[in-house]
Amino acid sequence: MAIEKVFVANNTSVIQEEVLAHRLGLVPLKVDPRLFEYKSESDLANEKNTIVLKLDVVCSRQDGRIKNATVKSEQLQWLPNGSEYQIEKTSKTYTSFSCSQETLPALKDNPIASRYPDIILAKLRPGQCIELEAHAVKGMGKTHAKWSPVATARYRMLPEVALLENIRDSLAEELVEKCPVNVFDIEDLSRGRKKAVVARPRDCTLCRECVLGDGWDKRVQIRRVKEHFIFSVESTGALPPDVLFLESVKILEEKCQRLLVELS
């Protein structure tokens, strides 16, 4: 869910409406998109496909101190009953809610708000104000980045670090110091002797610092497991990474099934 339409009633700040609308669209919302339906251009905005948020901030000077100079995302207020603005020359509002969204079980105890309360939207001077309504709908990342719940997704092959011989005492200490990501540890042996062990092979970045130097390539070997990949998914906050991964697998499964049907 992301803000798609912004209805500006008053804006006396230095930020243009287009820029402000763009900033609002990129604010992650704390709401599960699976609770809502997709909205097409012909559909009416209702409680099943639209979320309405209100922003009404006035910067003032009180007792020599400036109040509300910084407009933050926490000041976005959820309107569970829909739009409060009337369409020009009519008595209708911009939404047609049949019931309040607060009555939905999933939203009753989890009110909709910005995922991060401290995102700066604008800065005002005394006397300036911003008054608007923002309507959020469900969308996909391929249409616009604001609908992508993933900030960064990457993968790499699983690294495999092997010790070709026992590395002990001073050589063990040298190996531990050579690795910048602490892949190796020292294991204490009897009679005060020490031995190097591979403690955290997943942390290896394949920088090859451990095999640089005279004879180290014969003591340590770095390989990649070709059939094992490590995926890292960073969420924007709309959904947790584990949910994002499971939902993406479901979508991929559906696409594969449709392709098999078309080919059969």
Side-chain angles (χ1 to χ4, degrees), residues 79-146:
L79 300 180
N81 295 317
S83 175
E84 296 177 347
Y85 290 177
Q86 289 186 349
I87 302 175
E88 189 177 358
K89 298 181 180 179
T90 66
S91 59
K92 297 181 179 180
T93 62
Y94 287 96
T95 58
S96 300
F97 282 22
S98 60
C99 65
S100 173
Q101 291 177 332
E102 284 182 320
T103 60
L104 301 177
L107 299 177
K108 188 175 182 180
D109 299 325
N110 297 295
I112 299 172
S114 169
R115 171 62 66 179
Y116 307 107
D118 56 349
I119 299 176
I120 297 177
L121 301 176
K123 291 195 174 183
L124 306 177
R125 295 293 296 166
Q128 294 180 342
C129 66
I130 296 177
E131 183 183 356
L132 57 82
E133 262 189 13
H135 293 199
V137 296
K138 187 175 180 178
M140 292 183 288
K142 69 177 182 179
T143 305
H144 194 283
K146 65 184 178 183

Side-chain angles (χ1 to χ4, degrees), residues 185-231:
D185 270 347
I186 292 180
E187 182 180 298
D188 293 328
L189 302 176
S190 59
R191 299 179 182 179
R193 304 202 64 183
K194 301 176 181 179
K195 175 184 177 182
V197 294
V198 181
R200 292 167 289 276
R202 278 179 173 255
D203 293 344
C204 180
T205 60
L206 303 175
C207 67
R208 302 188 63 82
E209 285 290 333
C210 58
V211 299
L212 298 179
D214 187 22
W216 280 103
D217 57 338
K218 298 179 180 178
R219 301 186 184 105
V220 182
Q221 189 176 57
I222 301 176
R223 299 185 290 262
R224 294 182 178 91
V225 181
K226 295 183 178 180
E227 296 180 353
H228 192 141
F229 296 90
I230 301 174
F231 279 85

Side-chain angles (χ1 to χ4, degrees), residues 19-194:
V19 177
L20 183 59
H22 181 267
R23 293 179 67 83
L24 287 168
L26 294 174
V27 174
L29 301 178
K30 187 181 68 174
V31 57
D32 192 338
R34 293 172 294 183
L35 301 174
F36 294 86
E37 301 172 354
Y38 287 102
K39 178 182 178 296
S40 65
E41 290 294 333
S42 59
D43 291 336
L44 294 175
N46 55 52
E47 71 279 2
K48 297 180 181 179
N49 59 26
T50 303
I51 296 172
V52 182
L53 301 166
K54 180 181 180 180
L55 181 63
D56 190 358
V57 183
V58 178
C59 181
S60 60
R61 191 188 299 271
Q62 295 180 354
D63 300 328
R65 300 181 63 181
I66 297 177
K67 184 179 180 182
N68 290 330
T70 302
V71 183
K72 295 186 177 181
S73 54
E74 64 181 353
Q75 293 170 288
L76 284 168
Q77 299 178 358
W78 174 39
L79 300 180
N81 295 317
S83 175
E84 296 177 347
Y85 290 177
Q86 289 186 349
I87 302 175
E88 189 177 358
K89 298 181 180 179
T90 66
S91 59
K92 297 181 179 180
T93 62
Y94 287 96
T95 58
S96 300
F97 282 22
S98 60
C99 65
S100 173
Q101 291 177 332
E102 284 182 320
T103 60
L104 301 177
L107 299 177
K108 188 175 182 180
D109 299 325
N110 297 295
I112 299 172
S114 169
R115 171 62 66 179
Y116 307 107
D118 56 349
I119 299 176
I120 297 177
L121 301 176
K123 291 195 174 183
L124 306 177
R125 295 293 296 166
Q128 294 180 342
C129 66
I130 296 177
E131 183 183 356
L132 57 82
E133 262 189 13
H135 293 199
V137 296
K138 187 175 180 178
M140 292 183 288
K142 69 177 182 179
T143 305
H144 194 283
K146 65 184 178 183
W147 279 304
S148 175
V150 178
T152 305
R154 63 190 185 274
Y155 72 92
R156 62 189 179 101
M157 289 183 178
L158 176 69
E160 185 178 19
V161 183
L163 300 180
L164 304 180
E165 61 180 50
N166 288 329
I167 301 176
R168 299 181 177 179
D169 302 331
S170 60
L171 287 177
E173 295 179 353
E174 182 180 351
L175 178 60
V176 171
E177 292 178 0
K178 284 168 68 70
C179 182
V181 291
N182 299 321
V183 171
F184 305 97
D185 270 347
I186 292 180
E187 182 180 298
D188 293 328
L189 302 176
S190 59
R191 299 179 182 179
R193 304 202 64 183
K194 301 176 181 179

